[in-house]
Amino acid sequence: MADFGEILRNIGEFGLFQKTILFALCFPNLILPFHFASVIFTQSDPERHCNTDWVLGAAPNLTTEEQLNLTVPREEDGSFSRCRMFVPVDWDIQDIREFGLNETTGCRDGWVYGSMLYESTIFDLVCDQAHLLGIAQTVLMAGILAGCLLLGPFAESFGRKRAAQIPVVLMLLFSVTTGLCPTYPLYLASQFVAGIGYGVFICFVPLGTEWIGVSKRSWGACITQLCGAVGQAILGGMIYFIRDWRLAQLVTAAPFTVIAFYIWFIPESARWLLDRGRTDEAKELIIKVAAINKRKVSDSLLEKVCLSGGIICLIKSPVLRKYFLTIILAWFSLTVTYFCLSLNVGNFGLDIFLTQALFGLSEVPAHIICIWLLEAVGRKASLITTLVIGGFLCNAIAVTSLAIGGRFLTNWAGSICNLYVQELFPTSFRQTASGLGSIASRVGGLLSPPLSMLAVYRWSIPVAVYSSLTILSGALCFLLPETRRTELPDSTRQIKLHINMLFLHTRTDMYVYIISVLFSSSELLFESTHTHLHTLADSLF
């Protein structure tokens, strides 16, 4: 009975097919950050005053200064009020000048904006409505959470391909509607649905990695993250030239039109097809992939891999529960730390466009180095190192360079978690595990702003919380197995065999050590005994 890893080795682990599909699945990550333009690049307190053109009915030739002096009250510092105006009256201009106006009210006819960083605000969310901008951000994040929650069951039931197509359509449609929404409630509804599409996008990683062999699997996760970082940098440049959030949303929708066209030609995961018992479709797809990679595959290798399991296996298995909770805690803690650090080191004294570009570009080397390090050192050692060292660097938040180093390492750890979760769990609930991991990550992102607000009581409180979380989760990662250069598990049986192999090899090393001590620590005897016992262990499984 053929193992799917053996099939990949025969049809090509990283041939033309895998490179093409990886590029196709990574390209959307360049565009995804653009959707945040309307909630990130907003000027919450621009220079403004109430629109008081009503007075021009009495004196159409008033200068702007005269109009403001007659109709807008002044603050204690002598500046014109940004949120108050005098109540309009039906007087002639002479009476207004002679007696003046005393009763004030909120702005009734909107605002007149002065020097602004952007060409427009979002539905005039200023003054007593300024808090509604935070609600818009929360609604978008809630949609992303909902998308992550729906992702796992949907992808396991209807396939990776279908789960990749739907979010593209949602993002295309609701990027357009977000830019065209005439009212704030419709804007919120559009953002929520777009957030669902954004949340489901994480299924792109499993779809890519399930087709890539052992030697290049780290590329599947890290290149996707790398494209997201480049997209963050491009976002800063796009908003620099496009200062209107509505136009930015429409520009964002344009590339999704291209993606929505080619995404229908992305093939399904053969692992998922085998898991659902659709063997003939899987065989046909494997033959096509072999042809694209200019390889030949024998009929003997096209036997169905025995795939079994499901989310019930995750609940029943204590080992899988341990792995799952460990990786979830790591993902949650690094996200909390990442966003808390972003809030603290964002005050560089630079303009917001350059800061955004630097934030994106600073993540690029992290993902590039990660590709090499995951293969050279391994998943387990890399994750422990980045989390523990990153946690300790976070304690030095007062030193900006060290804080940036902590952010760099936590971002690095995010790439590792993204790959690790694919390799720890079998095909039958790999997508569900990814969805739940993403939910933990989004919850961490939501909790980071209120955690940062605790700094008003003492600046060290948030630092102590998120750095301790990161160090603790890094220490707990010792419980995880090393998955470097191992095949993706297709069933819980394969995971159990892998665990037994690790246990047996550990016991073998212990026996070799005892034998070598009993027999005068002969180096030759040690090496021969070590080789013989490991060969025996491999043959048992």
Side-chain angles (χ1 to χ4, degrees):
M1 188 167 290
D3 177 80
F4 195 81
E6 184 180 353
I7 292 176
L8 281 179
R9 286 190 292 273
N10 278 267
I11 66 175
E13 291 190 335
F14 198 62
L16 176 61
F17 169 80
Q18 284 88 349
K19 292 173 183 176
T20 303
I21 193 173
L22 182 59
F23 173 79
L25 295 175
C26 286
F27 178 68
N29 269 45
L30 283 171
I31 315 302
L32 279 178
F34 296 179
H35 190 77
F36 284 87
S38 65
V39 293
I40 294 179
F41 293 93
T42 55
Q43 199 167 351
S44 59
D45 192 29
E47 290 292 333
R48 65 188 181 278
H49 60 79
C50 296
N51 183 354
T52 58
D53 286 348
W54 63 268
V55 76
L56 298 180
N61 296 323
L62 286 177
T63 65
T64 301
E65 188 68 22
E66 289 176 325
Q67 181 179 345
L68 293 178
N69 280 322
L70 293 173
T71 58
V72 178
R74 291 183 180 269
E75 303 288 354
E76 293 181 358
D77 61 1
S79 62
F80 289 110
S81 174
R82 295 184 173 191
C83 300
R84 305 292 294 178
M85 61 180 283
F86 289 121
V87 175
V89 294
D90 190 18
W91 299 353
D92 60 41
I93 194 62
Q94 297 300 327
D95 291 337
I96 294 175
R97 284 174 172 164
E98 181 177 352
F99 300 106
L101 302 176
N102 296 312
E103 186 179 356
T104 63
T105 184
C107 298
R108 296 183 175 181
D109 301 314
W111 289 263
V112 176
Y113 295 95
S115 177
M116 287 184 61
L117 192 59
Y118 309 108
E119 293 182 5
S120 63
T121 62
I122 297 181
F123 302 105
D124 288 329
L125 299 183
V126 292
C127 297
D128 58 343
Q129 292 186 320
H131 67 284
L132 295 179
L133 179 59
I135 293 178
Q137 297 170 341
T138 303
V139 167
L140 177 59
M141 291 302 297
I144 294 175
L145 275 173
C148 296
L149 186 61
L150 296 171
L151 160 70
F154 186 90
E156 305 296 5
S157 301
F158 300 100
R160 278 52 163 157
K161 177 180 179 179
R162 193 67 65 203
Q165 293 168 343
I166 290 178
V168 174
V169 175
L170 289 178
M171 291 296 293
L172 171 60
L173 294 178
F174 288 92
S175 290
V176 175
T177 58
T178 297
L180 299 178
C181 280
T183 64
Y184 181 68
L186 287 176
Y187 170 80
L188 291 181
S190 181
Q191 284 286 67
F192 181 80
V193 180
I196 292 177
Y198 190 103
V200 182
F201 257 99
I202 62 170
C203 71
F204 280 35
V205 177
L207 181 56
T209 55
E210 288 182 356
W211 274 112
I212 298 175
V214 173
S215 60
K216 298 292 184 181
R217 192 184 302 132
S218 58
W219 287 64
C222 296
I223 294 296
T224 304
Q225 299 288 94
L226 175 63
C227 289
V230 175
Q232 293 280 357
I234 296 174
L235 173 60
M238 183 185 79
I239 299 299
Y240 178 80
F241 293 103
I242 304 174
R243 304 296 181 96
D244 187 327
W245 68 270
R246 291 185 182 274
L247 180 57
Q249 289 294 142
L250 298 178
V251 169
T252 300
F256 277 115
T257 305
V258 178
I259 300 170
F261 172 75
Y262 75 69
I263 199 66
W264 298 96
F265 300 98
I266 296 292
E268 182 57 86
S269 167
R271 293 179 188 267
W272 180 82
L273 290 172
L274 291 170
D275 181 62
R276 307 302 292 185
R278 296 160 62 175
T279 310
D280 293 337
E281 293 179 57
K283 288 181 179 180
E284 182 180 348
L285 192 53
I286 290 170
I287 293 173
K288 288 181 179 179
V289 172
I292 294 173
N293 288 342
K294 297 181 179 180
R295 296 287 192 92
K296 292 184 178 180
V297 57
S298 62
D299 293 337
S300 61
L301 288 176
L302 296 179
E303 299 177 19
K304 181 180 180 295
V305 181
C306 182
L307 303 179
S308 62
I311 192 66
I312 300 299
C313 296
L314 176 62
I315 298 173
K316 290 182 177 180
S317 171
V319 175
L320 291 180
R321 287 201 308 268
K322 178 180 68 176
Y323 293 168
F324 180 72
L325 294 176
T326 301
I327 201 73
I328 286 295
L329 178 61
W331 219 335
F332 170 81
S333 61
L334 71 88
T335 306
V336 171
T337 303
Y338 176 83
F339 281 105
C340 284
L341 284 173
S342 297
L343 294 174
N344 280 288
V345 303
N347 188 16
F348 290 122
L350 304 173
D351 69 58
I352 190 171
F353 309 110
L354 182 58
T355 301
Q356 176 67 29
L358 289 175
F359 272 12
L361 292 175
S362 67
E363 297 176 7
V364 172
H367 300 303
I368 294 176
I369 297 173
C370 188
I371 296 174
W372 169 80
L373 199 68
L374 284 172
E375 300 302 331
V377 179
R379 281 63 160 157
K380 182 175 179 178
S382 299
L383 186 58
I384 293 172
T385 303
T386 52
L387 287 174
V388 172
I389 296 178
F392 278 112
L393 289 179
C394 292
N395 285 305
I397 189 70
V399 182
T400 302
S401 59
L402 295 181
I404 294 176
R407 182 178 180 273
F408 181 91
L409 288 172
T410 52
N411 188 42
W412 191 343
S415 291
I416 301 172
C417 282
N418 212 4
L419 175 63
Y420 222 155
V421 75
Q422 313 299 323
E423 298 178 333
L424 285 174
F425 303 103
T427 303
S428 53
F429 56 87
R430 182 177 296 125
Q431 194 74 67
T432 299
S434 295
L436 293 174
S438 185
I439 288 174
S441 174
R442 302 303 178 186
V443 170
L446 284 174
L447 292 180
S448 56
L451 177 59
S452 296
M453 291 172 62
L454 295 178
V456 299
Y457 301 104
R458 187 174 179 82
W459 70 269
S460 59
I461 293 178
V463 176
V465 171
Y466 63 69
S467 62
S468 299
L469 266 176
T470 306
I471 295 171
L472 174 63
S473 63
L476 289 176
C477 287
F478 279 101
L479 299 173
L480 297 174
E482 177 55 64
T483 57
R484 179 181 55 154
R485 295 171 187 167
T486 60
E487 297 293 346
L488 286 178
D490 290 318
S491 65
T492 52
R493 177 178 173 273
Q494 290 183 2
I495 293 179
K496 291 175 182 177
L497 288 176
H498 179 63
I499 294 169
N500 291 336
M501 283 291 296
L502 289 174
F503 176 74
L504 185 57
H505 276 294
T506 302
R507 292 282 297 273
T508 299
D509 288 336
M510 180 181 69
Y511 294 150
V512 168
Y513 176 75
I514 294 173
I515 293 172
S516 64
V517 170
L518 291 176
F519 291 91
S520 303
S521 301
S522 169
E523 181 178 350
L524 180 60
L525 178 62
F526 180 91
E527 291 181 356
S528 62
T529 305
H530 183 274
T531 303
H532 176 71
L533 288 177
H534 272 287
T535 303
L536 177 62
D538 291 335
S539 66
L540 291 176
F541 296 94

